[in-house]
Amino acid sequence: MDTLFQMFSLPLLLISFRYATPLILAALGGVFNERSGVINIALEGMMLFGAFAAVYGSGLTGNPWIGVLYALVGGLVFALILAVVCVTFKADQIVVATGINIFASGLTIYLMQVLFGVSGTSPRAPRLPPVRVLGMRYNPLTFVAIALVPVAWFVLFKTPWGLRIRSIGEHPSAADTLGINVNKYRFICVLISGALAGLAGAHLSIGEYSAFVRDMSQGRGFIALAAMIFGKWHPIGAFGAALLFGYAEAISIRVSFAYIPSELIRAIPYVLTIIVLAGFIGKAIPPKAIGKPYFKGED
Amino acid sequence: MSGENNYLLEMRGITKIFPGVKANDNVDLLVKKGEIHALVGENGAGKTTLMKVLYGLYDSDAGEIFYDGEKINMTDPQQAINLGIGMVHQHFKLIDTLTVTENIILGAEPRQGLAINYDRAREQVEEISKKYGLKVDPDAKIQDISVGMQQRVEIIKILYRGADLLIFDEPTAVLTPQEIDELFEIFNSLREQGKTLIFITHKLKEVKTISDRITVLRDGKSVDCVETSSVTEKDVAELMVGREVLFRVEKDKAKPGKEVLQVKNIHVRDNRGLKTVNGISLNVKEGEIYGIAGVEGNGQTELVEALTGLRPVEEGQVFYQGEDITNLSARKLKDRKIGHIPEDRLRRGLVTNFTLSENFILGFHHQSPYSRSIFMDYKEIEEHAKSLIGDFDVRTSSHNNLASKLSGGNQQKVIIAREFIQEPKLLIASQPTRGVDVGSIEFIHKQLINKRDEGTAILLVSAELNEILSLSDRIGVIYEGEIVDTFTAEEADEREIGRLMTGSGKEVKTGE
Ligand SMILES: Nc1ncnc2c1ncn2[C@@H]1O[C@H](COP(=O)(O)OP(=O)(O)OP(=O)(O)O)[C@@H](O)[C@H]1O
Ligand SMILES: [Mg+2]
């Protein structure tokens, strides 16, 4: 009874926003690149590198906002690799992104050794100033994430650029025949995705914490992908799914169950995503041209 | 040199080489302002390629293009659009999940601040729609509208961009006869408003009906440009093929044998769950062709899919040589020597990013000699492909080419070759000559008759009434999922069947 009470308590619901923040940011990024027809399973690696870059920038300058900027650029740099190799040179997106994930993990460990001379946890760096809302402590990136949801929706569904992005993900050759530069838009979408994943990383390292811990993204990039699919490639859907998954994480951490291991609760996002993909809750239809590089003149 | 002839477009000496193929070889195309210019040629003659060069989708390897007297260096579609050139592609370039309006404005969206001004967009669409008589529903999604309307969307799309020269690549291949008539009315109204049209088709009757002049391509070369009024259909066919073409199918009377296929009162639903086949019964015997005449969308697709194991039969039974084969899988039906030429070659007929060799054995890949125990015998498969390419005159540089690189008509020949060579006892052929040139139609028709004479039972479904009339020994007319009447070849009357196809005969029949 007590457990049940805890599970649905207001503080737990409010705290879910904190856990959901990195998922919202990375899932929004995922919506952009997947809507344009590029798969990005490297969100995980981009987030991890962003987390490291944030601590480095914050520690170096003593200003956590500079740390955020570093995270953004860090995510961008990794996205640039994916964009050049997969969009410009049309390599396989899954293979390259998997490589990026492994590379990000190794690189951050290596850089910790070289820059800080440690291996597990980095020295402490200034964290973002907390903001109190409804008696809860948040870091500013949570509000950035929430604010970006309507922005992403507006861009994708109300502006010409959004229409073009969506058309490119469905039928690139149709867009091409209308004079839309398919690869340019895809390139930009991948960069947007990288920048947002970088921000998500900053939230982990200097938002909720004040240091970098090896492999601290802990699969959140993949959960963000799951949220994007669960949300049917829609910014608002992805936001809702990210919140739900954040809530699941909050429960697994904050509520103690007598009989259910917390790992099982953490698996909820994946289970839900599988259920959605299997078509039990409406149909989740990915953009038609997803994962396929575009060659000019093809049908 | 250009101005005095009033040419809007001059393409001179265009050459386009793909690895192993000269798709265009020193081609000339001269189009006068305000005319409808037909571009004809066999499958693979290079028509689509030439238009893609003009539209900036392919770079040419040699040649010059003049537009309105000025030399242009076409690099991408945006440039073509800016010049006032628009193209309706052989395979539509529409985005299924977007609305009609969104498809039309894409890339040239009216804005209000940062956002798209959808009200303006809809107004503009409606304006063009009214001006040229192009009926569309601006708010419908592409996936929910008919092929005919999709084509009108394509036309509005290019008019919206202010096109003066409109290219139509085989626009009639997918249309019903009524839709074709409507399209020609649109063509006429476009011509009256001063637009210039390039029109690609395989149907020479259409060329005679609507065009002013004709350019003929053969094997990548332009062989002639003639005034339409000065030639007959037969002349054009000969120019295209380089020999005389028989328009009439020569055949003896059928000698039907045992019953091979027996369909008993079957009911089938379509993708949306609507019943589109409502109790069809028919039978096909050895050595005869049973033709199903009807306007597309009256249940033919679902009927064929149900008979080939691609769609469940809800009610009723299907017998093949006395055996109940209702709802057997496609594989089991193939193993029983039931051949299938599907109506949609890209979706059902081919794996377009497989090679020709591989496509030639699809569905038979598990049978000897193409596979032994768990291994494929690629040597055998290759030999098989080479011989079929020769026998069926598939125009390609190698059996290792991807099926996606073939021209539309040659893709069709690949499917036909694959199914014919397996000596089917029952052949279900759906739109076997769609998008195929006159020479190849003659060839395919001859092959069908040969198969019939060898004793194959053939169920032929076609939207071309002429095809049904000239090939079939018995004809069933389908309307709204029912066979409303049947005829023998001798009784068949084109007018009467045409009437039944559009439903006007239904009352008569039920009144009996
Ligand atoms: N992208 C490509 N790569 C390689 N070869 C190609 C490509 N596109 C076309 N071809 C080849 O160029 C030749 C001309 O093809 P094209 O599509 O222009 O013919 P077409 O006249 O339009 O024929 P159809 O009437 O069947 O549509 C064919 O031999 C075809 O196989
Ligand atoms: Mg063509």
Side-chain angles (χ1 to χ4, degrees), chain B residues 349-365 370 376 378 381-382 384-385 399-403 414 418:
Chain B
L350 297 167
V351 179
T352 49
N353 51 6
F354 277 14
T355 65
L356 293 187
S357 304
E358 289 164 333
N359 271 292
F360 276 128
I361 57 152
L362 283 184
F364 310 104
H365 50 277
Y370 318 119
M376 305 291 289
Y378 274 101
I381 292 169
E382 215 163 89
H384 178 65
H399 57 273
N400 284 324
N401 281 345
L402 297 183
V414 171
R418 177 181 70 212

Short mmCIF file of all heavy atoms in Angstrom, two decimals, chain B residues 349-365 370 376 378 381-382 384-385 399-403 414 418:
data_model
loop_
_atom_site.label_atom_id
_atom_site.label_comp_id
_atom_site.label_asym_id
_atom_site.label_seq_id
_atom_site.Cartn_x
_atom_site.Cartn_y
_atom_site.Cartn_z
N GLY B 349 6.47 -8.14 -58.69
CA GLY B 349 7.09 -8.95 -59.73
C GLY B 349 8.59 -9.12 -59.60
O GLY B 349 9.14 -10.14 -59.97
N LEU B 350 9.25 -8.08 -59.09
CA LEU B 350 10.71 -8.08 -59.09
C LEU B 350 11.23 -7.65 -57.74
O LEU B 350 10.56 -6.95 -57.00
CB LEU B 350 11.24 -7.08 -60.12
CG LEU B 350 10.90 -7.30 -61.58
CD1 LEU B 350 11.24 -6.05 -62.38
CD2 LEU B 350 11.66 -8.50 -62.13
N VAL B 351 12.45 -8.10 -57.44
CA VAL B 351 13.18 -7.48 -56.34
C VAL B 351 14.17 -6.56 -57.04
O VAL B 351 15.14 -7.03 -57.64
CB VAL B 351 13.91 -8.52 -55.48
CG1 VAL B 351 14.68 -7.82 -54.37
CG2 VAL B 351 12.92 -9.51 -54.91
N THR B 352 13.86 -5.28 -57.04
CA THR B 352 14.57 -4.39 -57.97
C THR B 352 16.03 -4.21 -57.64
O THR B 352 16.81 -3.88 -58.52
CB THR B 352 13.90 -3.01 -58.04
OG1 THR B 352 13.69 -2.54 -56.71
CG2 THR B 352 12.59 -3.07 -58.79
N ASN B 353 16.43 -4.44 -56.40
CA ASN B 353 17.87 -4.34 -56.17
C ASN B 353 18.56 -5.70 -56.13
O ASN B 353 19.63 -5.84 -55.56
CB ASN B 353 18.21 -3.47 -54.95
CG ASN B 353 17.43 -3.89 -53.74
OD1 ASN B 353 16.72 -4.90 -53.78
ND2 ASN B 353 17.57 -3.16 -52.65
N PHE B 354 17.94 -6.68 -56.78
CA PHE B 354 18.61 -7.93 -57.10
C PHE B 354 19.04 -7.87 -58.57
O PHE B 354 18.48 -7.10 -59.35
CB PHE B 354 17.66 -9.12 -56.94
CG PHE B 354 17.53 -9.65 -55.53
CD1 PHE B 354 18.00 -8.92 -54.45
CD2 PHE B 354 16.93 -10.88 -55.30
CE1 PHE B 354 17.86 -9.40 -53.15
CE2 PHE B 354 16.79 -11.37 -54.01
CZ PHE B 354 17.25 -10.64 -52.93
N THR B 355 19.99 -8.74 -58.92
CA THR B 355 20.41 -8.78 -60.33
C THR B 355 19.34 -9.47 -61.16
O THR B 355 18.43 -10.11 -60.64
CB THR B 355 21.72 -9.56 -60.50
OG1 THR B 355 21.47 -10.92 -60.15
CG2 THR B 355 22.83 -8.99 -59.64
N LEU B 356 19.50 -9.36 -62.48
CA LEU B 356 18.57 -10.05 -63.37
C LEU B 356 18.62 -11.55 -63.14
O LEU B 356 17.60 -12.22 -63.07
CB LEU B 356 18.91 -9.73 -64.82
CG LEU B 356 18.69 -8.28 -65.23
CD1 LEU B 356 18.90 -8.14 -66.73
CD2 LEU B 356 17.30 -7.84 -64.84
N SER B 357 19.84 -12.10 -63.01
CA SER B 357 19.97 -13.55 -62.79
C SER B 357 19.13 -13.98 -61.62
O SER B 357 18.42 -14.98 -61.67
CB SER B 357 21.42 -13.92 -62.50
OG SER B 357 22.26 -13.49 -63.51
N GLU B 358 19.21 -13.23 -60.54
CA GLU B 358 18.47 -13.61 -59.34
C GLU B 358 16.97 -13.46 -59.56
O GLU B 358 16.18 -14.31 -59.13
CB GLU B 358 18.94 -12.75 -58.15
CG GLU B 358 20.34 -13.13 -57.70
CD GLU B 358 20.98 -12.07 -56.81
OE1 GLU B 358 20.64 -10.87 -56.92
OE2 GLU B 358 21.84 -12.44 -56.01
N ASN B 359 16.58 -12.40 -60.24
CA ASN B 359 15.16 -12.20 -60.48
C ASN B 359 14.57 -13.30 -61.36
O ASN B 359 13.40 -13.62 -61.23
CB ASN B 359 14.92 -10.83 -61.13
CG ASN B 359 14.72 -9.76 -60.07
OD1 ASN B 359 13.73 -9.75 -59.35
ND2 ASN B 359 15.69 -8.86 -59.97
N PHE B 360 15.41 -13.85 -62.23
CA PHE B 360 14.91 -14.89 -63.13
C PHE B 360 14.55 -16.18 -62.41
O PHE B 360 13.91 -17.05 -62.98
CB PHE B 360 15.95 -15.20 -64.21
CG PHE B 360 15.89 -14.27 -65.39
CD1 PHE B 360 17.01 -13.61 -65.84
CD2 PHE B 360 14.69 -14.04 -66.06
CE1 PHE B 360 16.96 -12.75 -66.92
CE2 PHE B 360 14.62 -13.19 -67.15
CZ PHE B 360 15.76 -12.54 -67.58
N ILE B 361 15.03 -16.36 -61.19
CA ILE B 361 14.73 -17.62 -60.50
C ILE B 361 13.86 -17.41 -59.26
O ILE B 361 13.60 -18.36 -58.52
CB ILE B 361 16.01 -18.36 -60.09
CG1 ILE B 361 16.88 -17.46 -59.22
CG2 ILE B 361 16.77 -18.85 -61.30
CD1 ILE B 361 17.73 -18.25 -58.27
N LEU B 362 13.43 -16.17 -59.03
CA LEU B 362 12.59 -15.91 -57.85
C LEU B 362 11.39 -16.84 -57.85
O LEU B 362 10.70 -16.97 -58.85
CB LEU B 362 12.08 -14.48 -57.87
CG LEU B 362 13.04 -13.39 -57.46
CD1 LEU B 362 12.30 -12.06 -57.46
CD2 LEU B 362 13.64 -13.67 -56.11
N GLY B 363 11.16 -17.47 -56.73
CA GLY B 363 10.02 -18.37 -56.64
C GLY B 363 10.38 -19.79 -57.04
O GLY B 363 9.67 -20.73 -56.72
N PHE B 364 11.49 -19.94 -57.74
CA PHE B 364 11.95 -21.28 -58.14
C PHE B 364 13.33 -21.54 -57.58
O PHE B 364 13.96 -22.54 -57.90
CB PHE B 364 11.97 -21.41 -59.66
CG PHE B 364 10.70 -20.95 -60.30
CD1 PHE B 364 10.62 -19.73 -60.93
CD2 PHE B 364 9.55 -21.72 -60.21
CE1 PHE B 364 9.44 -19.28 -61.48
CE2 PHE B 364 8.37 -21.28 -60.76
CZ PHE B 364 8.30 -20.07 -61.39
N HIS B 365 13.79 -20.58 -56.77
CA HIS B 365 15.16 -20.63 -56.27
C HIS B 365 15.45 -21.88 -55.46
O HIS B 365 16.59 -22.30 -55.36
CB HIS B 365 15.41 -19.39 -55.41
CG HIS B 365 14.34 -19.20 -54.38
ND1 HIS B 365 13.15 -18.58 -54.69
CD2 HIS B 365 14.26 -19.58 -53.09
CE1 HIS B 365 12.38 -18.59 -53.60
NE2 HIS B 365 13.02 -19.18 -52.63
N TYR B 370 18.56 -24.88 -59.84
CA TYR B 370 19.16 -23.63 -59.33
C TYR B 370 19.73 -23.82 -57.93
O TYR B 370 20.57 -23.04 -57.49
CB TYR B 370 18.12 -22.51 -59.32
CG TYR B 370 17.30 -22.50 -60.57
CD1 TYR B 370 15.93 -22.67 -60.53
CD2 TYR B 370 17.93 -22.37 -61.81
CE1 TYR B 370 15.18 -22.72 -61.69
CE2 TYR B 370 17.19 -22.42 -62.97
CZ TYR B 370 15.82 -22.59 -62.91
OH TYR B 370 15.09 -22.64 -64.05
N MET B 376 23.13 -22.70 -53.53
CA MET B 376 22.66 -22.20 -54.81
C MET B 376 23.71 -22.58 -55.86
O MET B 376 24.90 -22.51 -55.58
CB MET B 376 22.53 -20.67 -54.80
CG MET B 376 21.68 -20.10 -53.69
SD MET B 376 19.95 -20.48 -53.88
CE MET B 376 19.50 -19.46 -55.27
N TYR B 378 25.14 -21.03 -58.70
CA TYR B 378 25.15 -19.75 -59.42
C TYR B 378 25.56 -19.88 -60.88
O TYR B 378 25.16 -19.08 -61.71
CB TYR B 378 26.01 -18.73 -58.68
CG TYR B 378 25.20 -18.03 -57.63
CD1 TYR B 378 25.29 -18.36 -56.29
CD2 TYR B 378 24.28 -17.04 -57.99
CE1 TYR B 378 24.50 -17.75 -55.33
CE2 TYR B 378 23.49 -16.42 -57.05
CZ TYR B 378 23.60 -16.77 -55.72
OH TYR B 378 22.81 -16.16 -54.80
N ILE B 381 22.43 -20.70 -62.61
CA ILE B 381 21.54 -19.55 -62.57
C ILE B 381 21.96 -18.53 -63.64
O ILE B 381 21.14 -17.94 -64.34
CB ILE B 381 21.56 -18.92 -61.16
CG1 ILE B 381 20.91 -19.88 -60.17
CG2 ILE B 381 20.85 -17.57 -61.15
CD1 ILE B 381 21.10 -19.51 -58.71
N GLU B 382 23.28 -18.37 -63.77
CA GLU B 382 23.80 -17.43 -64.74
C GLU B 382 23.49 -17.87 -66.18
O GLU B 382 23.05 -17.08 -67.00
CB GLU B 382 25.32 -17.38 -64.55
CG GLU B 382 25.92 -16.03 -64.79
CD GLU B 382 27.31 -15.99 -64.18
OE1 GLU B 382 28.26 -16.34 -64.89
OE2 GLU B 382 27.43 -15.62 -62.99
N HIS B 384 21.11 -19.80 -67.10
CA HIS B 384 19.66 -19.66 -67.23
C HIS B 384 19.33 -18.21 -67.61
O HIS B 384 18.59 -17.96 -68.56
CB HIS B 384 19.05 -20.02 -65.87
CG HIS B 384 17.56 -19.90 -65.79
ND1 HIS B 384 16.70 -20.68 -66.53
CD2 HIS B 384 16.77 -19.08 -65.05
CE1 HIS B 384 15.47 -20.36 -66.25
NE2 HIS B 384 15.47 -19.38 -65.35
N ALA B 385 19.94 -17.27 -66.91
CA ALA B 385 19.67 -15.85 -67.17
C ALA B 385 20.10 -15.48 -68.58
O ALA B 385 19.35 -14.83 -69.32
CB ALA B 385 20.42 -14.99 -66.14
N HIS B 399 23.64 -9.80 -67.49
CA HIS B 399 22.72 -10.47 -66.57
C HIS B 399 22.99 -10.08 -65.13
O HIS B 399 22.25 -10.41 -64.23
CB HIS B 399 22.82 -11.98 -66.73
CG HIS B 399 24.21 -12.50 -66.53
ND1 HIS B 399 25.13 -12.55 -67.55
CD2 HIS B 399 24.84 -12.92 -65.42
CE1 HIS B 399 26.27 -13.00 -67.07
NE2 HIS B 399 26.13 -13.23 -65.79
N ASN B 400 24.13 -9.39 -64.92
CA ASN B 400 24.46 -8.95 -63.56
C ASN B 400 23.90 -7.59 -63.22
O ASN B 400 24.10 -7.09 -62.12
CB ASN B 400 25.97 -8.92 -63.36
CG ASN B 400 26.51 -10.32 -63.18
OD1 ASN B 400 25.86 -11.17 -62.58
ND2 ASN B 400 27.69 -10.57 -63.72
N ASN B 401 23.22 -6.93 -64.18
CA ASN B 401 22.63 -5.63 -63.88
C ASN B 401 21.51 -5.78 -62.87
O ASN B 401 20.83 -6.79 -62.82
CB ASN B 401 22.05 -5.02 -65.16
CG ASN B 401 23.12 -4.40 -66.02
OD1 ASN B 401 24.25 -4.19 -65.56
ND2 ASN B 401 22.79 -4.13 -67.26
N LEU B 402 21.30 -4.72 -62.10
CA LEU B 402 20.18 -4.72 -61.18
C LEU B 402 18.89 -4.52 -61.97
O LEU B 402 18.86 -3.79 -62.95
CB LEU B 402 20.32 -3.58 -60.16
CG LEU B 402 21.53 -3.66 -59.24
CD1 LEU B 402 21.50 -2.52 -58.24
CD2 LEU B 402 21.56 -5.00 -58.52
N ALA B 403 17.83 -5.15 -61.52
CA ALA B 403 16.55 -5.02 -62.21
C ALA B 403 16.09 -3.56 -62.22
O ALA B 403 15.42 -3.12 -63.15
CB ALA B 403 15.51 -5.89 -61.53
N VAL B 414 11.30 -9.49 -68.17
CA VAL B 414 11.99 -10.37 -67.24
C VAL B 414 10.98 -11.26 -66.51
O VAL B 414 11.16 -12.47 -66.39
CB VAL B 414 12.81 -9.55 -66.21
CG1 VAL B 414 13.35 -10.46 -65.10
CG2 VAL B 414 13.95 -8.83 -66.90
N ARG B 418 10.52 -15.35 -66.85
CA ARG B 418 10.63 -16.21 -65.66
C ARG B 418 9.43 -17.15 -65.53
O ARG B 418 9.58 -18.33 -65.26
CB ARG B 418 10.72 -15.32 -64.42
CG ARG B 418 10.77 -16.13 -63.12
CD ARG B 418 10.82 -15.22 -61.92
NE ARG B 418 9.56 -14.53 -61.72
CZ ARG B 418 9.46 -13.31 -61.20
NH1 ARG B 418 10.54 -12.63 -60.85
NH2 ARG B 418 8.27 -12.75 -61.06
#
